[in-house]
Amino acid sequence: MTEAEYIPSPAEWVRNQVELYESSGGREGNTLRGLPVVLVTHTGRHTGATRKTPLMRVVSDGTYVLVASMGGAPEHPVWYHNLLAHPEVTVRDGTEVMRGRARLVEDSEERARLWAAAVEAFPPYAEYQEKTERVIPMFAFDPE
Ligand code: F42
C-alpha cells in the first residue's frame, strides 16, 4: 500500500511545531505555554491525505482526551470532522507513538469527568468554553 500524501497545516506556527516535534523524535517542540502537547496524525475526510495536529496532552486513567477547542472559535476545527470520518489515528506523546481509535465522547457523565481532566491539564480550556456557544467536543483515545 502506498502512503498517503502528507499535507502540512496552513497555519505557520502549527506547521513549525509539527516539524520540530517530529524531526526531534518527540524530544523538542512538545510543549505550548510550558505544558505538554501530543501530536495526532489522522486522515483528511475529503482528500484522504495525512494530516498532523498538535493538541494539549490530556490523559485520564490511561485514556488520552483530544479536545476540539480551537481557542474557543465559533466552529469546530476541521480535524474534528476528519476524526469522525476516519477514527483510526496515531498519537505521538513525546518519544512514544501509539495507534488506536478516536471515539467521540457523548455520555454526559464521561464527558463531565474528562472535561474536568482537560481543564486541570490546560486551564485555558475553561475560558475557551465560555467564549463559544458550541459545546467543545472531545474524543477519547485508547492506545491499542
Ligand atoms: N487545537 C485544539 O483544538 N485543541 C488543542 O488542545 C490545541 C493545542 C495546540 C497545541 C499546540 C499547537 O501548535 C496547536 C494546538 N492546537 C489546538 C491547534 C490545532 O493544532 C489546530 O491547528 C486547530 O485546532 C485548527 O484545526 P483545523 O483542523 O481546523 O486546522 C486548520 C488550520 C487546517 O489545517 N485546515 C486545513 C486547511 O487547509 O484549511 C484543513 C485540512 C483538512 O483536514 N482538510 C480535510 C481533508 O480532506 O484533507 C477536509 C476538510 C473539510 O472537511 O473540508
Side-chain angles (χ1 to χ4, degrees), residues 25-42:
R27 289 182 174 80
E28 290 173 55
N30 52 19
T31 59
L32 181 78
R33 302 196 210 166
L35 293 169
V37 167
V38 297
L39 188 59
V40 181
T41 298
H42 55 101

Side-chain angles (χ1 to χ4, degrees), residues 13 17 44-47 51 54 67 69-70 78-79 82 125:
W13 69 282
Q17 174 138 38
R45 66 169 171 168
H46 296 313
T47 59
R51 301 285 186 178
V67 184
S69 56
M70 200 165 65
V78 172
W79 64 262
N82 291 341
Y125 281 144

Side-chain angles (χ1 to χ4, degrees), residues 50-109:
T50 298
R51 301 285 186 178
K52 298 183 183 183
T53 302
L55 298 174
M56 301 318 294
R57 178 185 186 275
V58 180
V59 187
S60 174
D61 291 333
T63 296
Y64 283 78
V65 188
L66 313 177
V67 184
S69 56
M70 200 165 65
E75 308 290 339
H76 296 326
V78 172
W79 64 262
Y80 160 84
H81 300 286
N82 291 341
L83 263 54
L84 287 181
H86 299 288
E88 299 294 339
V89 302
T90 299
V91 173
R92 175 187 271 280
D93 182 2
T95 57
E96 203 182 344
V97 180
M98 298 156 279
R99 298 179 67 84
R101 279 178 81 82
R103 168 179 62 81
L104 187 66
V105 175
E106 293 179 286
D107 176 78
S108 59
E109 235 172 73

